[in-house]
Amino acid sequence: MPRDEPLLARRLSSEQSSIRNDEEEDALLTGERTRRTERRRGWGFWREVGLFVWALIATIAVIVIAVVYQHETSRRQGHEKESWGPGGKPTGKRNLIFMVSDGMGPTSLSMTRNFKQHTQGLPIDDILVLDKHILGTSRTRSSSSLVTDSAAGATAFSCGFKSYNGAISVLPDHSPCGTVLEAASLAGYKTGLVVTTRITDATPACFASHVNLRQYEDQIAEQEIGEHPLGRVVDLIMGGGRCHFLPNTTEGSCRADDRDLVSIAKDKGFSYIHDRKGFDSLNGGTEGSLPLLGLFADTDIPYELDRRSQDDVYPSLEEMARAALKILSAATEDSEQGFFLMIEGSRIDHAGHGNDPAAQVNEVLAYDKAFAAVLEFLEKDSTPGVLVGTSDHETGGLAIARQLHITYPEYLWLPGVLANASHSAEFAANELIEYLNQEPEKKAREAYTRDLLKKALGVEDPSDQEIDDLINVDNPIPPSYVFADIISRRAQIGWSTHGHSGVDVNIYASSSKDAWPLQGNHENTEVGEFLANYLDLDIGAITKRLQESEFWTSSSSSASAEAGADFEPSESEVQKSKSFTWLGDPLGNNVRTEGFDSYHGDFKKRDVVGVAGVEECGCGAVH
């Protein structure tokens, strides 16, 4: 019978079969296995063991990968929050809160931290909430100056482009640029603006309006309530500036015409509140509905240092922020998109312009509380979101040290002096002016002024010269500046200007993972780019729509009639104005829109063009 052969043997080549047969014959003759066979069988054994181990390891790896993948898939399907780290960002529904600390530079933070530690008896490692969230720094130059104003600074945030000082979301060629708020609104997000200055001031204006000059606040008000080429883009408004919404036939109005924007806003569906009682009716935001217009002061809401004594009149920045967050969150609860909210600590800037350190530390503390409130909201809210904050510029050239005498300066500053103040220099000046208008005798003026200094600023040792500077009605330096200098000197706080400075400012974020592209030093336009990118918005498409609306016109009178200005625009500006009349008059030839100025000689005074020839500080107030 034929000998059975293993299957493997049948697959061998004829040469291999011949070798194997020789080995088998040797084994039959000698009765011993050949060494060659032993070697082949030993190698095969270990080969089989190796293949088994490799297969086992590969199987285990596949199982581990499958388990991890299934876990990650389940976690995402469970709508858990995910951080936006390098290589990724949140998808789907999300919220964005952008906070602006107008006029707050790094030194403001140091001064406020020292002040808080001193007044509250805190250790040196007890710092501000803001201190824990510093992410990077921002370069603030505009297209027309190394020292920006709030209009150009906010345009960089809202549009992502540089523009000239005074421009409200308008490019140097006098054409409108789309804003992140407008793009968010048209993409289905709810939007809001919360400020402590006029809602028509530069920063909020840049997110929801377009004009060639920041002074055109009547037109800004009209666009904010929906008289805008894109229709209404703001759902929630809280702040001051009521006077720009009231007809000029009404007490408290500052409009140039008789348009009643409050009534028009109501006709457009806005709920309107104008005082503390109205704000309290929101019940912290649980009773609010959109669209909402809240105007709580004729002009600016008082400094926090003064507001606290009028708490029954004005809401704080923190209170407004909390209410706005709750209202917007509820309004988007069942929608596919979240919300965009801009919150501004506006009057940090005004305190810098006034060189008032007592007012400023309290404004920064109020902003710090609002920042903490937003962080708390993000922590508790189920929708992914990010908070990004920065300043448009620094104001005042603040220094927490001051040389008072020609002798070698002392290495100190005294926060306790600021702690003695119960009111701002602005408040004290208004009280003094009202009293002096009664034309009292000189001795009575002196006695009143000394008493006012003690009660408002906590200063008990004024010099005769300081008293004379305050009561002298012919003094070219306004009383508010004198009051501020009196307290600044005693605290040994220094200021280099009543205007802005070109120092870099801090960038803050709720999480470095959520806002990692803003780590390090950036142009302010990169902050604007981040805002649009985070929400996946196409700003360019909005700009195109606005520029296609070149013949859209507001129902109000032109800005030139409103301002009474006598401009002499260039030929190119005249051509541009024919297309974009709704932006107001273009600037005159003597206003720079691109390129920096140069040196003109020591102390040469050059007027800053404003409305109707009025010299402007670039802060929205006349000085």
Side-chain angles (χ1 to χ4, degrees):
M1 293 181 64
R3 185 176 59 184
D4 293 333
E5 292 183 346
L7 179 61
L8 181 60
R10 298 193 188 112
R11 296 178 180 174
L12 298 174
S13 67
S14 59
E15 181 180 355
Q16 290 172 327
S17 300
S18 174
I19 293 173
R20 177 164 183 158
N21 290 338
D22 290 343
E23 291 174 351
E24 289 176 348
E25 289 176 1
D26 290 342
L28 289 171
L29 290 172
T30 62
E32 297 179 357
R33 295 180 181 274
T34 63
R35 294 178 182 176
R36 186 181 299 171
T37 302
E38 290 175 347
R39 287 197 301 270
R40 287 187 62 83
R41 290 194 174 182
W43 177 85
F45 172 79
W46 288 113
R47 180 175 178 272
E48 291 174 1
V49 170
L51 289 172
F52 174 80
V53 172
W54 179 87
L56 181 63
I57 293 173
T59 301
I60 294 172
V62 170
I63 293 172
V64 170
I65 292 171
V67 171
V68 171
Y69 176 80
Q70 184 177 11
H71 172 74
E72 287 297 306
T73 302
S74 299
R75 191 170 71 86
R76 292 175 185 176
Q77 291 176 347
H79 302 290
E80 292 184 16
K81 295 181 183 179
E82 292 185 3
S83 296
W84 176 18
K89 64 179 176 181
T91 58
K93 185 177 180 180
R94 74 205 85 155
N95 299 322
L96 174 56
I97 301 97
F98 180 52
M99 296 188 69
V100 180
S101 44
D102 195 337
M104 186 180 81
T107 312
S108 300
L109 212 64
S110 301
M111 179 174 68
T112 304
R113 186 191 312 116
N114 293 161
F115 175 81
K116 180 183 177 183
Q117 290 171 352
H118 174 83
T119 56
Q120 299 182 21
L122 302 172
I124 60 174
D125 60 350
D126 192 297
I127 57 179
L128 301 174
V129 175
L130 288 164
D131 286 318
K132 303 172 186 178
H133 293 273
I134 296 176
L135 185 67
T137 54
S138 168
R139 306 188 295 273
T140 62
R141 68 172 69 187
S142 70
S143 69
S144 62
S145 177
L146 286 170
V147 180
T148 190
D149 81 326
S150 292
T155 295
F157 300 148
S158 64
C159 291
F161 287 101
K162 296 283 187 182
S163 196
Y164 56 90
N165 288 2
I168 300 295
S169 292
V170 172
L171 299 175
D173 68 352
H174 303 301
S175 65
C177 54
T179 76
V180 62
L181 184 144
E182 292 167 342
S185 178
L186 269 61
Y189 290 84
K190 294 299 182 183
T191 63
L193 299 171
V194 173
V195 302
T196 52
T197 186
R198 305 173 311 285
I199 198 65
T200 53
D201 200 15
T203 300
C206 281
F207 286 88
S209 65
H210 306 268
V211 292
N212 278 317
L213 280 175
R214 60 180 296 168
Q215 291 88 343
Y216 300 157
E217 293 189 49
D218 287 4
Q219 281 184 284
I220 290 168
E222 293 164 2
Q223 293 185 43
E224 286 177 338
I225 64 167
E227 294 187 354
H228 185 288
L230 303 177
R232 178 174 60 80
V233 293
V234 190
D235 299 300
L236 181 146
I237 294 172
M238 289 187 187
R242 187 168 53 233
C243 70
H244 288 287
F245 293 78
L246 300 176
N248 60 5
T249 55
T250 304
E251 183 179 356
S253 171
C254 56
R255 284 191 67 83
D257 58 31
D258 61 356
R259 299 199 72 210
D260 186 347
L261 296 192
V262 170
S263 294
I264 294 172
K266 289 179 179 179
D267 291 341
K268 292 178 179 290
F270 277 92
S271 299
Y272 174 63
I273 52 177
H274 62 90
D275 55 17
R276 181 79 209 206
K277 182 179 179 181
F279 179 81
D280 290 342
S281 71
L282 299 176
N283 195 25
T286 60
E287 302 297 327
S289 61
L290 299 178
L292 173 66
L293 176 63
L295 303 173
F296 306 115
D298 285 340
T299 55
D300 304 319
I301 293 176
Y303 284 121
E304 179 65 16
L305 187 56
D306 304 322
R307 188 204 68 81
R308 289 200 297 258
S309 62
Q310 306 170 73
D311 187 58
D312 59 337
V313 180
Y314 307 99
S316 69
L317 180 63
E318 178 191 2
E319 289 175 312
M320 290 191 291
R322 287 185 182 276
L325 288 167
K326 184 149 307 231
I327 292 170
L328 291 169
S329 180
T332 57
E333 184 176 8
D334 298 322
S335 65
E336 295 182 359
Q337 304 288 23
F339 62 81
F340 171 79
L341 174 63
M342 193 284 292
I343 302 171
E344 183 189 30
S346 318
R347 303 214 65 195
I348 299 171
D349 173 64
H350 290 185
H353 280 294
N355 288 181
D356 187 343
Q360 185 165 104
V361 292
N362 283 278
E363 288 302 302
V364 175
L365 285 174
Y367 180 80
D368 196 57
K369 289 180 180 178
F371 194 96
V374 176
L375 292 176
E376 180 185 323
F377 169 83
L378 289 173
E379 182 67 25
K380 294 179 179 179
D381 194 50
S382 59
T383 302
V386 65
L387 160 62
V388 171
T390 190
S391 304
D392 42 8
H393 53 75
E394 191 272 350
T395 302
L398 174 66
I400 46 176
R402 183 166 183 168
Q403 183 169 349
L404 299 175
H405 312 287
I406 60 172
T407 55
Y408 195 79
E410 300 174 290
Y411 291 169
L412 55 79
W413 85 273
L414 305 170
V417 173
L418 307 186
N420 292 333
S422 59
H423 286 286
S424 67
E426 178 183 85
F427 176 91
N430 290 337
E431 293 289 303
L432 179 62
I433 292 171
E434 184 177 349
Y435 176 77
L436 294 180
N437 285 338
Q438 300 173 23
E439 300 182 355
E441 296 291 331
K442 183 178 180 181
K443 286 188 177 180
R445 295 200 304 268
E446 291 176 349
Y448 178 87
T449 304
R450 290 180 185 275
D451 186 58
L452 180 62
L453 273 167
K454 181 178 179 179
K455 289 180 178 179
L457 302 186
V459 174
E460 300 186 12
D461 61 344
S463 67
D464 291 341
Q465 183 62 56
E466 288 172 330
I467 296 297
D468 287 342
D469 289 342
L470 285 169
I471 64 176
N472 180 8
V473 295
D474 296 323
N475 188 352
I477 301 174
S480 62
Y481 284 6
V482 178
F483 278 120
D485 187 58
I486 287 173
I487 193 169
S488 291
R489 284 180 172 276
R490 284 159 177 76
Q492 291 190 220
I493 290 293
W495 305 88
S496 65
T497 178
H498 282 287
H500 301 169
S501 75
V503 67
D504 290 356
V505 295
N506 291 337
I507 299 173
Y508 306 88
S510 52
S511 166
S512 59
K513 292 182 180 179
D514 291 327
W516 70 270
L518 294 177
Q519 290 178 329
N521 183 262
H522 299 270
E523 282 293 337
N524 53 7
T525 51
E526 295 177 71
V527 176
E529 291 168 4
F530 172 86
L531 300 179
N533 289 339
Y534 182 83
L535 295 180
D536 289 327
L537 301 174
D538 186 353
I539 302 293
I542 304 302
T543 298
K544 183 179 179 181
R545 287 186 60 172
L546 287 168
Q547 295 190 359
E548 288 173 348
S549 304
E550 56 185 0
F551 297 110
W552 181 90
T553 57
S554 170
S555 58
S556 70
S557 57
S558 69
S560 58
E562 169 185 314
D566 184 19
F567 291 109
E568 294 182 2
S570 65
E571 183 177 345
S572 62
E573 287 167 335
V574 169
Q575 185 62 37
K576 184 67 67 174
S577 70
K578 291 179 180 178
S579 298
F580 299 111
T581 55
W582 57 278
L583 298 175
D585 282 318
L587 308 180
N589 285 322
N590 57 340
V591 176
R592 186 181 299 271
T593 61
E594 291 186 280
F596 301 150
D597 208 344
S598 59
Y599 183 64
H600 290 261
D602 285 342
F603 310 116
K604 182 174 181 180
K605 186 178 186 299
R606 284 168 288 144
D607 291 338
V608 180
V609 173
V611 178
V614 177
E615 186 173 344
E616 275 284 331
C617 68
C619 66
V622 178
H623 287 263

